[in-house]
């Protein structure tokens, strides 16, 4: 008999397929990874809230059987902050695209990291605005073509990992869709981490980014992730010239010494209430 | 210049309600000065003392600029036996002016039989013919407390004693409430008391005859 | 001896600003989550909430901007807490997109707007009522808003509680429109005992989880999406959705989604409407006003009544949905209607829409950051009478 895949139980019982994602897109693999990690950690579905903004990757919550909030463009993190503060026991996960988290939501990104609130941000980076039809993103490489950069992009791209590190995030990692096992390992660590966690996943958009930049075959794009990925340890020994165009993967920070935000608010409540008693 | 008698002869009698009429339709007090002088907290304490302590209706509203210190600031207190609707002064019965700007700007709006209480430094050229009391508020603060910050308390004390629009008991309680558990309570109460004394001194001079414009200037 | 802290019958008594009364009302109403960003003249509300919430185990957070603040309280409410934010014009503008989100996902929240002069940075420390229309039409798309407006400090307290009750009852954002004068002026406030408060709590589903349809109203046309963590997992999205919460492109479902967020309020407008009449029995002239303008109108009416001018007031407590029927009824026998407001004429538009042409509608407007004075209203009425 045909066996249903393990992720099946974690999709909404009123299944709505096909999804909005194009064939060859990396978001399907990421959705599967999220579900497998949640399952392996034994989280109660009721105790998981998946929050997203607007964009291709932000459609993940529509299909999965958790508490879900598909919110406005760029604002997933403040929504998540509200959920986490009201229910600190909740496992709050945010999925956000590169435009969502770094352009329109850039301010929320650095402030969520600064507060060290216990939310995991999965940043799906496909270097382009997919949902709106291939416009330039804050992560689009220099000289790449996009529909709003027809002569080549001149805006230097953001490095989300460096941004998170300098903003005070306590768990920061980067992986790719090709390295899906590694991605799952990082997600596992991130979901169990107490403070703000960022996992950037380099993904592929063959239909827009690929087609505009002479890489229309999804397999080629995934293979380029394999070829360009350099582990952090190895990267440290490489020169800047050698690292050009490479994707540095690995865990950049895992710091458990900082207090998580809802915990420090709980301490504040205790302090205030004790003061009032005397 | 002829002299005329003070219309507010109640100041000199120890009337229970001070200069307030027996039936208060609407009595307006405007406190004007600069940001940082404690204008709004003065208004608040006055209105609070009248409302909660003296059991009359009182409201306090304010107008201020963007500056936390130094800008023109205004606190309006309305006293009435009835429900107070419009919470700002239209024609004040009492104007307290702590800066020259405040005096110059608002003196003309005071009711003809009203009173202006001005800091002695505030009146440069006389405006109108309303009874004006020049009180050395800032001087008292500097002489007695070496600190102009308590000017609002001295003013409040003076206002209480001189006009009687609020009971001394209530205003004291309001100040005590405001500085509950604060290390500034004592200094503020002292300043309030200095204001009371200043008020007494002005009353006891037997100033039943005053000239229009400025006269009461000890 | 300290000033009295309670009334003769034991109710806590205070002498506070409107903004402080709002804090007291929110706490009494059961608000346990506040996210905000400082802005004059509403900052005292955030300050008060930051002081009071931890005492009762609630949560306060100062977010990075107003967009984040409203997003956080929608998240907080989705997680089950009664949630509120407070702001003024520029912040209210920034919040608009997410207010629209709350309309479409039908999550109850309370937004306090202490109005100041605008547009743009405008007059931070001065009053205005120029967000009257923005409260109705601020966010894009079709929806129906609830906005209520207090005119005294006691009412700020009472109506903050009302705002939470309306939000929970109709699962929708509710806007409390104050203005700088009401927010900053001080008056006596008498607090209610807990047992005297009529509070509406979140309406929770009673069906088994597998039968649960979040956007299908069980009763009264109002659907109440369940808070997270109760076992009812469903899709919450700002896209037009079907009754399960799944995005839809089907014409009938699109219509039904839009109509449900309109009809749940329009159908119950009689229940939402609140207004106060003042000297309306024999009036020949009617003044319509709300908030601080209504305070001036009452003084103006007192003065005019003493001179036997038959003028009355309808003071709107509900601004949106607009109380058209009560106004129609009251204005029917009047010669002229005056709409007094602290702006360049906003409330006058819906009034014009509901009244027949034979009634003169005159705007009494002030927009220099100062409150409308009783004399200005008296002058307008007299001009009409002796014209």
């Amino acid at each position: 008999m045909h066996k249903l895949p393990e992720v099946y139980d974690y999709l909404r019982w009123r299944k709505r397929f096909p999804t909005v994602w194009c064939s060859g897109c990396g978001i399907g693999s990421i959705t599967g990874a999220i579900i497998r990690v949640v399952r392996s950690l034994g989280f109660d579905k009721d105790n998981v809230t998946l929050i997203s903004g607007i964009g291709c990757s932000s459609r993940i919550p529509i299909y999965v059987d958790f508490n879900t909030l598909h919110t406005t463009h760029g604002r997933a993190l403040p929504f998540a902050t509200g959920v986490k503060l009201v229910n600190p026991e909740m496992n709050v996960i945010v999925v956000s695209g590169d435009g969502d988290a770094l352009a329109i939501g850039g301010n929320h990104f650095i402030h969520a990291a600064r507060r060290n609130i216990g939310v995991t941000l999965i940043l799906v980076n496909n270097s382009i605005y997919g949902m709106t039809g291939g416009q330039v993103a804050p992560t689009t490489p220099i000289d790449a073509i996009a529909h709003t950069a027809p002569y080549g992009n001149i805006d230097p791209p953001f490095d989300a990992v460096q941004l998170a590190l300098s903003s005070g995030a306590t768990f920061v990692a980067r992986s790719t869709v090709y390295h899906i096992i590694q991605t799952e390992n990082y997600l596992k660590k991130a979901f169990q981490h107490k403070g703000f966690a960022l996992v950037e996943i380099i993904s592929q958009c063959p239909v827009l980014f690929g087609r505009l930049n002479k890489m229309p075959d999804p397999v080629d794009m995934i293979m380029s992730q394999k070829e360009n990925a350099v582990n952090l340890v190895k990267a440290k020994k490489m020169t800047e010239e050698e690292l050009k165009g490479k994707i540095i993967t690995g865990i950049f920070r895992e710091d458990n010494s900082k207090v998580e935000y809802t915990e420090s608010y709980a301490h504040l409540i205790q302090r205030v209430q004790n003061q009032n008693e005397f | 210049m002829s002299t005329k008698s003070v219309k507010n002869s109640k100041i000199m009698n120890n009337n229970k309600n001070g200069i307030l009429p027996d039936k208060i339709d609407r009595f307006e007090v405007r406190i004007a000065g600069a940001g940082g002088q404690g204008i709004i907290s003065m208004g608040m304490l006055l209105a609070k003392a009248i409302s909660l302590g003296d059991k009359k209706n009182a409201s306090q509203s304010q107008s201020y600029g963007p500056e936390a210190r130094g800008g023109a600031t205004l606190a309006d207190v309305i006293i009435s036996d009835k429900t107070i609707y419009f919470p700002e002064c239209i024609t004040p019965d009492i104007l307290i002016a702590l800066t020259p700007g405040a005096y110059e700007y608002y003196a003309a709006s005071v009711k003809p039989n009203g009173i202006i209480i001005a800091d002695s430094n505030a009146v440069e050229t006389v405006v109108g013919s309303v009874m004006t009391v020049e009180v050395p508020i800032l001087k008292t603060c500097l002489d007695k407390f070496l600190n102009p910050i308590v000017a609002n308390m001295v003013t409040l004390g003076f206002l209480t004693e001189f006009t009687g629009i609020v009971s001394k008991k209530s205003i004291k309680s309001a100040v005590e409430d405001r500085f509950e558990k604060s290390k500034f309570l004592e200094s503020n109460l002292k300043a309030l008391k200095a204001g009371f004394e200043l008020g007494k001194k002005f009353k006891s001079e037997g100033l039943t005859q005053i000239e229009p414009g400025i006269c009461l200037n000890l | 001896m300290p000033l009295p802290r309670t009334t003769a019958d034991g109710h806590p008594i205070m002498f506070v600003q409107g903004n402080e009364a709002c804090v007291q009302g929110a706490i009494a109403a059961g608000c346990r989550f506040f996210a905000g960003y400082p802005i004059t003249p509403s900052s005292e509300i955030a300050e008060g909430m930051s002081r009071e919430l931890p005492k009762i185990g609630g949560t306060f957070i100062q977010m990075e901007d107003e967009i984040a603040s409203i997003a956080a309280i929608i998240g907080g409410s989705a997680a089950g807490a009664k949630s509120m934010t407070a702001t003024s014009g520029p912040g209210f503008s920034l919040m608009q997109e997410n207010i629209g989100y709350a309309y479409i996902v039908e999550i109850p929240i309370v937004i306090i707007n202490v109005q100041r002069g605008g547009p743009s940075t405008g007059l931070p420390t001065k009053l205005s009522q120029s967000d009257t229309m923005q409260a109705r039409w601020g966010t894009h798309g079709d929806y129906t808003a609830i906005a209520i407006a207090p005119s005294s400090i006691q009412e700020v307290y009472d109506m903050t509680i009302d705002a939470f009750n309306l939000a929970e009852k109709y699962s929708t954002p509710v806007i409390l429109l104050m203005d700088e004068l009401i927010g900053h002026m001080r008056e006596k406030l008498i607090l209610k005992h807990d047992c005297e408060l009529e509070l509406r709590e979140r309406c929770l589903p009673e069906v088994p989880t597998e039968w649960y349809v979040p956007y299908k109203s069980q009763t009264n046309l109002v659907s109440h999406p369940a808070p997270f963590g109760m076992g009812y997992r469903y899709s919450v999205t700002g896209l037009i959705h079907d009754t399960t919460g799944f995005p839809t492109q089907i014409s009938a479902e699109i219509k039904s989604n839009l109509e449900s967020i309109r009809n749940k309020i329009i159908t119950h407008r009689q229940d939402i409407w609140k207004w106060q009449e003042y000297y309306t029995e024999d009036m020949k002239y009617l003044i319509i006003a709300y908030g601080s303008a209504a305070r001036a109108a009452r003084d103006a009416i007192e003065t005019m009544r003493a001179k036997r001018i038959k003028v009355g007031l309808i003071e709107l407590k509900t601004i949106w949905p607009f109380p058209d029927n009560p106004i129609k009824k009251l204005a029917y026998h009047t010669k002229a209607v005056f709409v007094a407001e602290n702006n360049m004429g906003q409330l006058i538009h819906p009034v014009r829409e509901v009244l027949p042409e034979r009634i003169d509608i005159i705007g009494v407007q002030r927009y220099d950051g100062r409150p409308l004075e009783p004399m200005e209203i008296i002058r307008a009425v007299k001009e009409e009478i002796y014209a």
Side-chain angles (χ1 to χ4, degrees):
Chain A
M1 210 182 87
H2 183 68
K3 192 171 164 279
L4 287 168
E6 56 194 358
V7 298
Y8 191 83
D9 271 349
Y10 286 80
L11 298 172
R12 291 198 191 282
W13 69 272
R14 292 183 186 89
K15 310 277 182 300
R16 305 284 189 138
F17 291 107
T19 63
V20 293
W21 304 312
C22 312
S23 46
C25 176
I27 296 168
S29 314
I30 294 166
T31 310
I34 295 171
I35 289 175
R36 282 190 296 273
V37 173
V38 168
R39 189 171 175 275
S40 74
L41 288 171
F43 286 168
D44 185 347
K45 287 186 204 169
D46 276 330
N47 224 3
V48 176
T49 300
L50 193 62
I51 303 177
S52 67
I54 295 294
C56 292
S57 54
S58 292
R59 291 289 182 115
I60 296 176
I62 306 270
Y63 305 103
V64 294
D65 188 20
F66 302 126
N67 303 296
T68 65
L69 267 178
H70 173 231
T71 70
T72 46
H73 197 20
R75 318 302 172 197
L77 278 170
F79 278 91
T81 302
V83 172
K84 184 73 184 178
L85 277 169
V86 167
N87 188 350
E89 301 306 311
M90 186 68 82
N91 295 295
V92 182
I93 304 165
V94 172
V95 230
S96 196
D98 41 319
D100 199 48
L102 298 176
I104 188 166
N107 196 24
H108 310 310
F109 178 93
I110 57 175
H111 285 277
R114 169 178 71 94
R115 290 187 193 105
N116 196 31
I117 187 149
V119 168
T120 300
L121 169 63
I122 302 170
L123 200 161
V124 181
N125 181 354
N126 62 0
S127 311
I128 202 146
Y129 280 73
M131 182 133 274
T132 46
Q135 295 81 14
V136 72
T139 46
T140 307
I142 295 241
D143 293 336
I145 306 292
H147 279 146
T148 46
Y151 310 111
N153 175 36
I154 59 163
D155 297 17
F158 248 139
D159 183 335
V161 163
Q162 293 305 326
L163 186 61
L165 288 172
S166 55
S167 307
T170 48
F171 182 95
V172 181
R174 185 192 281 130
S175 185
T176 77
V177 168
Y178 174 84
H179 304 86
I180 201 75
I181 307 285
Q182 187 190 46
T183 304
E184 283 180 30
N185 284 337
Y186 292 171
L187 287 178
K188 203 166 187 169
K189 286 192 170 179
F191 291 173
Q192 289 172 298
H193 181 71
K194 276 224 166 304
F196 181 82
L198 167 76
V199 180
E200 183 185 9
I201 306 173
I202 306 298
S203 181
Q204 73 279 3
C205 175
V207 171
L208 290 159
F209 187 85
R211 211 161 38 86
L212 288 169
N213 291 286
K214 302 194 179 104
M215 223 191 288
D217 184 352
V219 177
D220 289 347
M221 287 195 87
I222 295 177
M223 290 318 282
S224 85
Q225 290 169 9
K226 182 191 176 190
E227 282 150 25
N228 290 325
V230 179
N231 188 277
L232 182 60
V233 183
K234 198 176 159 197
K236 275 183 182 156
K237 293 172 195 150
M238 289 164 73
T239 62
E240 213 169 291
E241 195 57 35
E242 287 171 318
L243 280 172
K244 225 171 185 183
K246 299 288 181 197
I247 305 161
I248 306 172
T249 61
I251 295 174
F252 291 74
R253 182 184 286 161
E254 191 175 6
D255 177 2
N256 291 312
S257 67
K258 302 253 159 56
V259 195
E260 192 269 330
Y261 190 78
T262 57
E263 269 177 28
S264 58
Y265 201 84
H267 293 158
L268 181 143
I269 290 180
Q270 218 163 34
R271 210 173 66 223
V272 172
Q273 291 184 343
N274 287 346
Q275 264 171 13
N276 277 18
E277 273 168 32
F278 298 111
Chain B
M1 205 182 277
S2 69
T3 59
K4 68 176 183 186
S5 67
V6 183
K7 283 182 186 160
N8 283 302
S9 57
K10 279 183 181 172
I11 289 175
M12 309 319 150
N13 311 329
N14 281 325
N15 187 294
K16 184 173 144 277
N17 277 341
I19 63 165
L20 289 175
D22 294 333
K23 272 176 108 182
I24 316 162
D25 193 39
R26 186 183 171 91
F27 191 89
E28 304 183 339
V29 183
R30 169 161 283 180
I31 308 166
Q37 282 186 319
I39 301 291
I40 291 170
S41 77
M42 206 191 313
M44 184 193 81
L45 290 169
L46 176 64
K48 185 176 180 177
I50 294 168
S51 169
L52 301 187
D54 296 351
K55 306 268 168 15
K56 298 184 182 82
N57 289 325
S59 78
Q60 178 260 318
S61 67
Q62 56 201 288
S63 167
Y64 63 104
E67 311 90 342
R69 298 286 179 270
T73 304
L74 200 65
D76 285 354
V77 174
I78 313 293
I79 308 161
S80 179
D81 290 331
K82 303 193 291 185
T83 311
I84 297 160
Y85 297 123
F86 190 65
E88 299 212 343
C89 292
I90 298 164
T91 47
D93 294 86
I94 297 177
L95 169 70
I96 297 165
L98 293 189
T99 58
Y103 172 77
E104 210 173 304
Y105 201 81
Y106 297 111
S109 66
V110 180
K111 285 199 182 86
N113 60 346
I115 304 174
I116 298 173
I117 297 168
D119 183 65
S120 1
N121 296 320
V123 186
E124 283 161 356
T125 31
V126 183
V127 179
S129 59
V130 174
M131 169 185 175
T132 302
V133 194
E134 280 190 76
V135 190
I137 294 164
L138 286 172
K139 192 173 172 292
T140 307
C141 290
L142 292 171
D143 289 354
K144 282 200 169 165
F145 306 102
L146 305 170
N147 192 349
I149 199 102
V150 289
N152 61 343
M153 289 298 146
V154 176
T155 315
L156 213 45
F158 180 87
L159 177 77
T160 307
E161 181 67 50
F162 191 71
T163 67
I165 59 169
V166 59
S167 70
K168 272 163 99 169
K169 196 181 98 200
S170 299
I171 203 79
K172 251 181 89 182
S173 307
V175 174
E176 279 163 1
D177 276 9
R178 168 76 179 73
F179 295 99
E180 205 186 352
K181 292 179 195 158
S182 157
K183 59 177 176 178
F184 298 113
L185 174 63
E186 210 179 318
S187 58
N188 278 286
L189 280 178
K190 268 187 191 160
L192 188 72
K193 224 174 135 200
F196 290 156
E197 278 157 19
L198 212 54
K200 247 181 230 149
K201 194 170 154 203
F202 269 69
K203 264 164 64 173
S204 66
E205 292 297 315
L207 297 152
T208 47
Q209 296 283 314
I210 64 160
E211 274 179 50
I214 308 153
C215 180
L216 290 179
N217 190 352
L218 296 181
Chain C
M1 211 180 78
L3 293 173
R5 304 238 161 121
T6 55
T7 57
D9 57 354
H11 289 89
I13 183 171
M14 309 171 114
F15 190 82
V16 289
Q17 284 193 323
N19 285 346
E20 184 63 28
C22 178
V23 171
Q24 295 297 335
I27 299 293
C31 174
R32 292 298 175 267
F33 182 54
F34 182 101
Y37 188 80
I39 184 168
T40 305
S42 80
S43 301
E44 292 86 356
I45 300 176
E47 290 169 8
M49 293 306 276
S50 75
R51 191 184 59 235
E52 296 302 323
L53 275 172
K55 291 184 191 167
I56 49 168
T59 309
F60 166 91
I61 185 169
Q62 180 171 318
M63 294 299 285
E64 52 271 20
D65 56 31
E66 284 90 348
I67 302 174
S69 305
I70 183 112
I73 67 159
I74 297 170
S77 182
K82 287 188 178 178
S83 306
M84 173 176 111
T85 188
T87 190
S88 186
F92 194 54
S93 291
L94 283 175
M95 287 181 183
Q96 290 303 332
E97 187 194 11
N98 281 338
I99 296 178
Y101 181 80
Y103 283 125
I104 199 166
V105 299
E106 306 187 47
I107 287 179
I109 49 166
V110 171
I111 304 141
I112 313 290
N113 179 359
V114 187
Q115 297 174 85
R116 67 192 223 185
S120 189
T121 313
L123 286 165
T125 61
K126 307 281 175 197
L127 97 154
S128 126
Q129 298 182 316
S130 53
D131 302 347
T132 309
M133 278 294 175
Q134 195 186 15
R136 172 65 188 88
W137 300 108
T139 194
H140 60 279
D142 279 324
Y143 56 95
T144 298
I146 300 181
I148 57 176
S151 73
S152 70
I153 303 313
Q154 188 65 45
E155 259 182 14
V156 172
Y157 173 80
D158 294 338
M159 290 177 76
T160 304
I161 298 170
D162 290 349
F164 277 95
N165 286 344
L166 285 167
E168 293 296 339
K169 191 169 183 184
Y170 297 107
S171 247
T172 189
V174 172
I175 297 159
L176 186 79
L177 275 179
M178 310 208 318
D179 56 53
E180 190 275 335
L181 186 72
I182 305 291
H184 279 161
M185 67 172 279
R186 291 178 174 86
E187 274 178 344
K188 193 163 71 181
L189 168 67
I190 299 168
L191 302 185
K192 289 195 171 77
H193 291 310
D194 285 350
C195 59
E196 295 164 326
L197 297 165
E198 280 173 39
L199 300 185
R200 190 140 186 135
E201 300 307 326
R202 192 71 54 93
C203 187
L204 302 175
E206 284 159 359
V207 295
T209 50
E210 62 271 27
W211 294 355
Y212 183 60
V213 184
Y215 294 106
K216 196 168 160 191
S217 60
Q218 274 78 39
T219 49
N220 267 340
L221 302 169
V222 187
S223 43
H224 297 278
F228 293 166
M230 286 186 61
Y232 299 95
R233 298 180 302 273
Y234 55 96
S235 158
V236 181
T237 176
L239 290 160
I240 298 279
H241 46 259
D242 63 17
T243 51
T244 70
F246 195 84
T248 184
Q249 303 278 321
I250 300 163
S251 156
E253 288 178 350
I254 295 170
K255 275 180 69 185
S256 148
N257 188 187
L258 287 171
E259 283 164 9
S260 71
I261 61 173
R262 179 191 63 191
N263 292 353
K264 68 176 178 183
I265 290 167
I266 291 301
T267 316
H268 297 107
R269 59 191 188 278
Q270 306 267 17
D271 172 59
I272 299 168
W273 284 341
K274 271 192 182 164
W275 70 88
Q276 262 174 20
E277 294 173 25
Y278 195 62
Y279 286 107
T280 50
E281 307 79 25
D282 62 341
M283 66 177 173
K284 287 203 173 108
Y285 302 94
L286 169 66
I287 301 170
I288 301 173
Y290 83 86
S292 56
R295 296 182 73 109
R298 283 180 187 243
D299 260 355
I301 289 170
E302 293 273 344
T303 310
M304 287 188 278
R305 281 280 169 177
K307 291 175 185 157
R308 296 205 187 84
I309 300 173
K310 289 189 172 173
V311 54
L313 167 75
I314 175 167
E315 182 182 332
L316 303 184
K317 301 294 170 198
T318 309
I319 313 298
W320 309 110
F322 192 67
D324 45 11
N325 280 344
I327 288 178
K328 251 187 236 175
K329 252 188 222 164
L330 277 171
Y332 192 78
H333 293 292
T334 59
K335 286 183 181 162
V337 168
F338 299 84
V339 184
E341 47 188 334
N342 262 102
N343 54 42
M344 296 177 95
Q346 299 197 9
L347 201 61
I348 196 168
H349 295 293
V351 172
R352 278 195 189 122
E353 218 169 87
V354 300
L355 293 187
E357 261 182 40
R358 64 175 168 81
I359 301 175
D360 276 345
I361 300 165
I362 298 130
V364 188
Q365 293 144 8
R366 180 160 189 171
Y367 37 85
D368 62 350
R370 305 285 311 135
L372 197 64
E373 284 181 26
M375 203 51 224
E376 294 173 83
I377 300 172
I378 295 170
R379 206 176 298 133
V381 175
K382 280 188 173 166
E383 262 171 33
E384 173 69 13
I385 295 173
Y386 303 117

